[in-house]
């Protein structure tokens, strides 16, 4: 059986290590709302033009240095992108207005939502020799392309496809009533469309405090295709949070530039939701470094993505494994 090689934790400072761990745990074990079963018709494939030709393999064993900007998203030349004076609540209201005007996707109960995503994270390579007095290597990795085929009604077996180190596909089933299907499109239609109701729903997804609510919203946006009014409600619920900031020239996990709404997270990090500047569509979520390097062995600098997911495209298809 072909397997994806395990990752190895890097010696990150405590706050950044916890941020990456928490992000991955949210991908593994989301809570589950009750199922519903409406049906729709098929929309066209939605994706950035640049993503149509995108081919990304898992990158393994690449040592990232402070000037190796082609390997990982960078936040700027002098301390990363600074937070803007723009009002985050007003920006989120604009994003909500745009989302609300988009056409809702349609699909039959036995069809599948296809999600094309790129993941990125920091790890170590046990086969590489640390340099100088450093205990571990300092590396950023594109986890690679992850494709999901999620049952539209949550009642059919779906598919998760990743790539091994040789670029070969590794397929795993997406079971009924489990990860991803708990917010399948049919079930997402039943999510709150009012601001207060969505805020309560996001808080109930797990974790405590505004940070957990903010990151629950990011996971929902990156693993589901939400109806327009539901997506708008997510942004309006977040707009009520104190402490939000706007980050201009932010980077998502695929290195695309956009505008981000950010919330300070663990010491030395902030959580970001990144949007395309032109049409304010959602690009992805990320945990970003904000601390100066702890020492010469720490190559993370402010603006670097520690862990994140970029949404590259979505479509409705007939069967698992089918692509637009």
């Amino acid at each position: 059986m072909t397997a994806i090689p395990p990752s190895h934790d890097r010696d990150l400072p405590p706050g950044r290590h916890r941020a990456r761990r928490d992000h991955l745990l949210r991908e593994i074990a989301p809570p589950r709302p009750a199922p519903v079963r409406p049906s729709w018709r098929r929309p066209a494939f939605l994706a950035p033009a640049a993503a149509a030709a995108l081919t990304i393999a898992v990158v393994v064993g690449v040592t990232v240095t402070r000037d190796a900007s082609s390997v990982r998203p960078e936040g700027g030349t002098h301390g990363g992108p600074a937070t803007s004076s723009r009002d985050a609540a007003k920006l989120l209201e604009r994003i909500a207005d745009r989302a609300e005007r988009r056409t809702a996707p349609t699909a039959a109960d036995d069809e599948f939502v296809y999600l094309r995503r790129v993941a990125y994270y920091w790890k170590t390579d046990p086969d590489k020799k640390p340099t100088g007095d450093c205990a571990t290597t300092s590396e950023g990795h594109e986890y690679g392309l992850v494709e999901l085929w999620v049952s539209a009604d949550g009642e059919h077996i779906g598919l998760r496809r990743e790539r091994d180190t040789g670029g070969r596909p590794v397929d795993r089933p997406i079971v009924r009533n489990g990860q991803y299907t708990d917010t399948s499109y049919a079930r997402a239609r039943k999510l709150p469309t009012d601001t207060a109701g969505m805020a309560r729903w996001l808080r109930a997804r797990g974790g405590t405090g505004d940070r957990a609510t903010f990151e629950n919203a990011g996971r929902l946006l990156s693993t589901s295709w939400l109806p327009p009014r539901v997506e708008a409600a997510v942004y309006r619920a977040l707009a009520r949070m104190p402490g939000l900031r706007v980050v201009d020239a932010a980077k998502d996990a695929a290195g695309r530039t956009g505008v981000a709404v950010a919330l300070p997270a663990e010491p030395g990090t902030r959580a970001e939701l990144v949007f395309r500047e032109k049409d304010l569509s959602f690009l992805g979520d990320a945990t970003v470094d904000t601390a100066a390097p702890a020492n010469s062995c720490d190559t993370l600098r402010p603006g670097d993505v520690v862990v994140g997911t970029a949404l590259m495209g979505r479509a409705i298809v007939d069967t698992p494994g089918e692509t637009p």
Side-chain angles (χ1 to χ4, degrees), residues 279-304:
D279 62 4
L280 298 180
S281 59
F282 178 72
L283 291 178
D285 63 315
T287 297
V288 175
D289 182 65
T290 60
N295 52 51
S296 61
C297 297
D298 183 6
T299 61
L300 276 171
R301 57 179 174 175
D304 287 348

Side-chain angles (χ1 to χ4, degrees), residues 6 23 65 81 84 91 115 163-164 179 211 261 264 266 277 282:
H23 185 104
T65 61
S84 168
L91 175 59
L115 301 171
R163 303 295 188 277
D164 66 12
Q179 184 184 13
R211 177 197 170 194
V261 175
E266 293 285 350
E277 185 82 61
F282 178 72

Side-chain angles (χ1 to χ4, degrees), residues 27-312:
E27 287 284 299
I28 295 169
R32 305 172 183 174
V36 293
R37 303 182 66 177
S39 61
W40 314 263
R41 300 174 63 86
R42 174 191 306 273
F45 177 54
L46 300 181
L54 179 67
T55 303
I56 300 180
V58 179
V59 178
V60 177
V62 179
T63 300
V64 176
T65 61
R66 294 189 60 174
D67 57 356
S69 58
S70 62
V71 179
R72 52 156 166 72
E74 289 289 334
T77 56
H78 298 287
T83 55
S84 168
S85 60
R86 296 162 68 180
D87 187 295
K90 290 181 179 178
L91 175 59
L92 282 168
E93 182 57 39
R94 287 177 53 215
I95 293 170
D97 286 343
R98 291 286 188 94
E100 213 162 25
R101 293 199 297 267
R102 295 191 183 102
T103 302
T106 58
D109 282 356
D110 60 353
E111 291 184 311
F112 294 81
V113 176
Y114 171 71
L115 301 171
R116 183 181 179 92
R117 308 192 310 165
V118 170
Y120 179 92
Y121 64 106
W122 280 76
K123 66 184 284 277
T124 62
D125 186 340
D127 296 326
K128 282 194 171 294
K129 183 179 179 180
T131 59
D133 296 329
C134 301
T136 64
T137 57
S138 301
E139 298 169 342
H141 289 255
E142 290 175 359
Y143 187 75
L145 179 66
V146 179
E147 296 173 285
L148 305 174
W149 288 265
V150 183
S151 169
D153 66 357
E155 297 296 325
H156 297 78
I157 301 297
L159 178 68
R160 177 186 174 103
R161 175 170 292 164
E162 303 176 22
R163 303 295 188 277
D164 66 12
T165 55
R168 295 175 292 271
V170 179
D171 291 351
R172 297 185 178 92
I174 296 177
V175 300
R176 294 171 52 195
N177 300 319
Q179 184 184 13
Y180 304 116
T181 61
D182 69 334
T183 51
S184 63
Y185 191 76
R187 300 176 187 185
R189 290 184 67 187
K190 295 297 184 181
L191 294 181
T193 57
D194 65 290
T195 302
M198 178 55 72
R200 288 192 297 270
W201 188 89
L202 290 171
R203 287 196 297 270
R205 298 294 287 175
T208 58
D210 287 344
R211 177 197 170 194
T213 301
F214 188 90
E215 293 177 341
N216 288 341
R219 188 190 65 81
L220 176 65
L221 292 164
S222 66
T223 60
S224 307
W225 198 347
L226 301 178
R229 292 184 62 202
V230 173
E231 184 176 353
V234 172
Y235 302 134
R236 291 183 175 125
L238 294 178
R240 300 170 63 177
M241 286 184 179
L244 295 176
R245 298 289 184 270
V246 175
V247 181
D248 293 319
K251 298 284 188 179
D252 72 0
R256 298 174 298 183
T257 302
V259 58
V261 175
L263 182 72
E266 293 285 350
T269 66
R270 67 174 175 244
E272 293 185 352
L273 301 179
V274 187
F275 301 88
R276 184 174 289 104
E277 185 82 61
K278 182 177 180 179
D279 62 4
L280 298 180
S281 59
F282 178 72
L283 291 178
D285 63 315
T287 297
V288 175
D289 182 65
T290 60
N295 52 51
S296 61
C297 297
D298 183 6
T299 61
L300 276 171
R301 57 179 174 175
D304 287 348
V305 173
V306 180
V307 61
T309 301
L311 183 60
M312 308 304 295

